[in-house]
Amino acid sequence: MSRRDDLSQDDRRIWARVAGSVTPRKPKKAPLITPGAAVPDPAAAPYPKGLTRPRPTPPGWSPPVVAPARPRGHPEELEPRRQRRLSRERDPIEARIDLHGYGRFQAQDALTAFLMGAQARGYRSVLVVTGQGRRGGTGVIRASVHEWLQAPALRGVVSGFAAAARHHGGDGALYVTIRRG
């Protein structure tokens, strides 16, 4: 029996997710060096057609210092005014998803599909119910949902999120605002 036959369905799905997130390294070709040959000067090598060689920088010059920017599209905490409008239902909550009963990976897949569908339908705000976890502890889904919302797969979908008001689920739910598609 081979090792692949020993894997469960969940193990195969997890492995497929991990393998899909990895990009293989491109092997570098070693330069062909013949013994006794002169080492080629890189400045004398022919340059690709249509491109010019970069000019040498003057001594003492350095590029201007620019503050590192946050990754584009990174979801932010909701503005307090927007969060208040959602909690008082002045801005409508257009859709809801309840992640109770899902496993960690099933919940992530369901949340991603739900949010992408909400963006495609033109929704602006949704409610994501994660639950509080068992025996008052932080549940697996509740602990992971912030990471999922900030993942590169959802950066173009989610503009912000914040904890929901008590009557919408409190700590076990989140308001999520959606970017325009």
Side-chain angles (χ1 to χ4, degrees):
M1 189 182 266
S2 71
R3 287 184 148 183
R4 279 195 184 196
D5 297 335
D6 295 340
L7 296 177
S8 69
Q9 191 69 14
D10 284 338
D11 291 339
R12 287 183 186 153
R13 191 173 75 241
I14 292 168
W15 180 250
R17 179 171 285 171
V18 170
S21 67
V22 176
T23 56
R25 288 181 55 180
K26 292 184 178 181
K28 292 183 179 179
K29 290 185 178 180
L32 179 62
I33 300 175
T34 55
V39 177
D41 181 20
Y47 216 65
K49 205 175 201 180
L51 295 177
T52 59
R53 284 191 193 282
R55 294 182 182 164
T57 57
W61 184 85
S62 63
V65 177
V66 178
R70 271 195 0 214
R72 185 176 172 267
H74 195 66
E76 299 176 354
E77 190 72 23
L78 284 183
E79 298 170 0
R81 184 171 177 224
R82 173 82 168 156
Q83 186 175 359
R84 195 174 322 116
R85 289 182 62 81
L86 286 168
S87 70
R88 294 179 181 169
E89 296 184 15
R90 299 240 166 82
D91 287 349
I93 297 172
E94 297 165 308
R96 291 173 169 76
I97 184 170
D98 189 347
L99 299 175
H100 282 98
Y102 285 97
R104 184 182 190 278
F105 296 108
Q106 294 165 337
Q108 183 178 7
D109 293 341
L111 178 64
T112 302
F114 170 75
L115 291 174
M116 288 184 170
Q119 184 185 36
R121 289 182 194 92
Y123 295 163
R124 300 291 293 141
S125 55
V126 296
L127 182 69
V128 176
V129 179
T130 61
Q132 300 235 351
R134 291 190 181 157
R135 298 188 188 125
T138 303
V140 175
I141 295 172
R142 180 178 166 205
S144 303
V145 75
H146 286 87
E147 178 185 327
W148 298 342
L149 292 173
Q150 293 175 346
L154 290 176
R155 282 194 186 151
V157 178
V158 176
S159 65
F161 57 91
R166 189 170 183 189
H167 64 275
H168 284 138
D171 292 334
L174 293 169
Y175 298 126
V176 179
T177 54
I178 310 290
R179 295 184 192 280
R180 292 178 193 239

